């Protein structure tokens, strides 16, 4: 059971040993690995100095930050100078969208100056255009919504295929305009686990860019890799992206993040949202949070060292979970909302519905005594009595989507844990259906 997780697989995690609950919401957040906790603790004790200072505690802090930057870069296949530490994934995503809009107008400013004019003919230029999928995280979708509301951008919310659950590249290419300045598609969906075709998107967009007029703004390419890192091999060279968002608490690290930018300020533009002391090459100023950055570096080191073991274990347990669900409830009563023809998915994610008129996902969880899980994204937890928009946009019928449970396993989830939560789900369903019969 989960309470014994610290004895399973290299590293372990920090959980409450007195609890007999079984956690299966690893797509929402993960416990901090014990090696990460040790690294953070040591950093607090010995690297408390200001990293910009020349005395020993400051030099130690600077060394730890440089080490962490290298480890995070190694995890995603980039260079250390490509990594900008942020407060988390939301800030990293906002930084990309802020940059894309400013770069669009700077492009036209540059052309105006070349033509001998000091002003942009804004009236004659369309608003910058952004393409995202219609299953993005709120830290992408709400940014775009706000840009539209403020009249700063136009956007296409590209529907995912209801057959494959993912963005189809041909649909995306058909949506590109001459004013398109940014394409942002998540690496893997946090609810369905479907992996998006990022490498093919980038390949075709770059081929199109080579054919476009030199006066046309560059299309920047971004992926939010929050759900992919720690579960899939993530390599920015293979993907071909300009930007990639990294979120520490999704892979057993602290709640900070980082942005990968391909050659920031040279190959790829970055415009700071904050101004201050000049840290992070002036792209993200503010005295660095050394302990959390060190923890992120350690979490990244563990991913590099153990990814194959982690992914293999999670897939085995997830597949066992789906097999046991079918046995427990029957093929006619279980619908897997994360199964899409021809699409890859995360090795740890099972989104499923137990079919029945009173078996809404939130209600089933309320009757569970041991299972800790969710009905979807933690960002929508206040709307648990409604079908997930992500599932609806992926083609799941409303009466099925309202019953959804997102069961995401972790590095230390065991088959014994699965056996326990299957019994827990069975008692919850029996309890709900028994009450319904009594009420009748």
């Amino acid at each position: 059971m989960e309470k014994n997780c610290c004895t399973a697989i290299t590293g372990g995690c920090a959980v409450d040993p007195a609890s007999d609950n079984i956690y299966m919401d690893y797509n929402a957040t993960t416990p901090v690995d014990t090696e990460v906790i040790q690294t953070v603790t040591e950093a607090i004790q010995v690297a408390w100095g200001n990293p910009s200072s020349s005395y020993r505690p400051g030099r130690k802090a600077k060394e730890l930050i440089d080490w962490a930057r290298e480890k995070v870069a190694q995890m995603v296949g980039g260079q250390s100078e490509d990594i900008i530490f942020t407060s988390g994934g939301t800030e990293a995503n906002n930084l990309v969208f802020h940059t894309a809009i400013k770069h669009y107008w700077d492009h036209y400013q540059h052309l105006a100056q070349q033509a001998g004019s000091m002003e942009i003919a804004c009236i004659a230029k369309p608003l910058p255009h952004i393409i995202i999928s219609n299953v993005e995280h709120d830290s992408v979708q709400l940014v775009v919504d706000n840009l539209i509301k403020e009249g700063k951008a136009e956007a296409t919310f590209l529907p995912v295929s209801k057959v494959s659950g993912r963005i189809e590249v041909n649909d995306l290419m058909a949506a590109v305009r001459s004013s398109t300045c940014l394409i942002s598609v998540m690496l893997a969906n946090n609810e369905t686990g479907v992996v998006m075709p990022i490498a093919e998107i980038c390949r075709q967009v770059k081929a199109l860019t080579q054919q476009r007029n030199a006066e046309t703004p560059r299309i920047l390419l971004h992926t939010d890799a929050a759900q992919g890192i720690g579960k899939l091999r993530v390599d920015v060279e293979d993907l071909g992206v300009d930007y990639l968002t990294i979120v520490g608490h999704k892979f057993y690290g602290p709640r900070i993040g980082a942005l990968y930018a391909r050659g920031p300020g040279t190959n790829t533009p970055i415009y700071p949202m904050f101004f201050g002391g000049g840290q992070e090459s002036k792209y993200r100023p503010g005295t660095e949070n050394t302990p959390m950055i060190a923890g992120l570096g350690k979490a990244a080191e563990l991913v590099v060292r153990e990814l194959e073991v982690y992914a293999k274990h999670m897939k085995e347990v997830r597949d066992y979970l789906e097999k046991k669900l079918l046995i427990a409830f029957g093929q006619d009563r279980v619908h897997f909302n994360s199964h899409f023809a021809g699409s890859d998915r995360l090795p740890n994610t099972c989104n499923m519905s137990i079919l029945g008129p009173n078996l809404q996902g939130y209600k089933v969880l309320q009757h569970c005594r041991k299972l800790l899980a969710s009905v979807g994204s933690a960002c929508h937890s206040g709307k648990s009595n409604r079908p997930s928009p992500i599932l609806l946009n992926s083609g799941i019928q409303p009466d099925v989507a309202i019953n959804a449970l997102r069961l995401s396993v972790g590095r230390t989830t065991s088959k014994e844990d699965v056996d326990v939560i299957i019994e827990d789900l069975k008692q919850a369903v029996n309890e709900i259906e028994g009450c319904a019969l009594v009420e009748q």
Side-chain angles (χ1 to χ4, degrees):
M1 289 175 60
E2 192 68 25
K3 64 182 180 180
N4 296 320
C5 74
C6 293
T7 63
I9 300 184
T10 302
C13 59
V15 295
D16 180 3
S19 172
D20 63 352
N21 289 123
I22 293 175
Y23 184 72
M24 285 198 177
D25 204 16
Y26 288 90
N27 283 7
T29 196
T30 56
V32 181
D33 190 280
T34 51
E35 290 190 46
V36 174
I37 293 173
Q38 181 180 357
T39 299
V40 170
T41 302
E42 291 175 357
I44 291 172
Q45 293 170 336
V46 303
W48 50 266
N50 191 313
S52 299
S53 302
S54 59
Y55 40 75
R56 179 168 175 74
R59 292 199 309 272
K60 182 62 177 176
K62 179 67 164 57
E63 289 170 5
L64 264 180
I65 291 169
D66 290 344
W67 170 83
R69 200 183 309 277
E70 182 61 37
K71 293 300 180 182
V72 172
Q74 184 182 2
M75 178 178 68
V76 298
Q79 303 298 315
S80 59
E81 57 267 25
D82 299 334
I83 301 300
I84 301 165
F85 292 117
T86 66
S87 62
T90 294
E91 183 189 333
N93 288 342
N94 274 262
L95 182 56
V96 170
F97 283 83
H98 166 79
T99 289
I101 298 299
K102 192 164 188 340
H103 182 257
Y104 178 88
W105 292 119
D106 276 9
H107 171 82
Y108 283 118
Q109 179 71 62
H110 178 69
L111 291 180
Q113 290 173 348
Q114 285 184 326
S117 172
M118 297 305 293
E119 296 182 0
I120 311 173
C122 294
I123 297 175
K125 302 300 180 187
L127 288 174
H129 175 243
I130 296 167
I131 300 174
I132 68 170
S133 80
N134 69 341
V135 295
E136 294 296 320
H137 188 269
D138 277 355
S139 61
V140 166
Q141 180 183 318
L142 296 184
V143 176
V144 177
D145 287 345
N146 194 61
L147 288 170
I148 294 170
K149 180 181 178 180
E150 294 183 351
K152 295 179 179 179
E154 296 178 337
T156 297
F157 297 86
L158 199 66
V160 295
S161 164
K162 289 179 170 55
V163 175
S164 67
R166 65 180 192 171
I167 287 292
E168 297 298 341
V169 181
N170 290 342
D171 294 340
L172 184 144
M173 298 306 296
V176 173
R177 307 176 189 172
S178 60
S179 58
T180 301
C181 67
L182 175 67
I183 295 172
S184 178
V185 177
M186 64 193 347
L187 182 59
N189 186 262
N190 50 310
E191 294 193 27
T192 65
V194 169
V195 179
M196 302 293 176
I198 303 301
E200 183 60 20
I201 288 172
C202 292
R203 187 187 70 79
Q204 292 202 28
V205 170
K206 288 179 178 179
L208 174 64
T209 299
Q210 293 178 349
Q211 302 169 12
R212 284 165 50 125
N213 188 302
E215 294 188 358
T216 306
R218 173 182 171 186
I219 302 174
L220 300 170
L221 298 161
H222 168 245
T223 189
D224 182 342
Q227 290 297 334
I229 291 174
K231 304 164 191 169
L232 306 171
R233 179 177 175 271
V234 177
D235 189 300
V236 292
E237 294 303 321
D238 291 344
L239 294 173
V241 292
D242 298 309
Y243 309 101
L244 182 141
T245 295
I246 299 161
V247 182
H249 75 96
K250 302 294 188 181
F251 56 98
Y252 294 74
R255 287 200 173 118
I256 67 162
L259 177 68
Y260 162 85
R262 186 182 297 274
T266 53
N267 296 332
T268 302
I270 285 284
Y271 296 89
M273 293 190 295
F274 310 133
F275 296 91
Q279 294 86 354
E280 295 301 291
S281 301
K282 298 183 179 180
Y283 298 128
R284 207 290 184 179
T287 303
E288 300 92 335
N289 188 347
T290 305
M292 296 301 105
I293 290 173
L296 188 67
K298 174 56 72 171
E301 183 180 66
L302 293 174
V303 169
V304 172
R305 190 176 79 198
E306 302 286 354
L307 176 62
E308 187 175 339
V309 174
Y310 294 154
K312 181 175 182 291
H313 172 79
M314 287 187 286
K315 184 178 185 304
E316 286 180 356
V317 175
R318 191 274 314 278
D319 290 350
Y320 179 78
L321 167 63
E322 294 189 347
K323 176 183 174 183
K324 295 292 284 188
L325 284 166
L326 289 172
I327 293 171
F329 297 103
Q331 294 186 0
D332 293 339
R333 294 199 71 190
V334 174
H335 185 276
F336 290 114
N337 307 314
S338 47
H339 289 192
F340 290 90
S343 291
D344 294 330
R345 58 177 170 141
L346 295 172
N348 79 318
T349 304
C350 168
N351 194 306
M352 53 79 67
S353 298
I354 303 170
L355 305 181
N358 297 302
L359 299 178
Q360 294 90 344
Y362 77 93
K363 190 180 294 185
V364 171
L365 289 177
Q366 288 174 351
H367 284 263
C368 285
R369 296 187 174 93
K370 295 184 179 295
L371 174 63
L372 302 179
S374 67
V375 297
S377 171
C379 298
H380 300 138
S381 59
K383 305 172 184 177
S384 60
N385 60 340
R386 305 179 196 172
S388 159
I390 299 298
L391 294 184
L392 296 178
N393 288 343
S394 300
I396 306 301
Q397 293 301 308
D399 61 331
V400 177
I402 192 68
N403 286 19
L405 297 174
R406 182 182 67 175
L407 305 176
S408 48
V409 306
R411 297 173 184 175
T412 59
T413 311
S414 68
K415 292 180 179 179
E416 290 75 19
D417 292 334
V418 170
D419 291 339
V420 172
I421 72 105
I422 291 293
E423 293 304 314
D424 200 28
L425 285 168
K426 284 167 64 176
Q427 74 80 23
V429 170
N430 289 338
E431 201 170 282
I432 293 168
E433 293 182 331
C435 289
L437 287 174
V438 170
E439 290 174 1
Q440 291 177 1

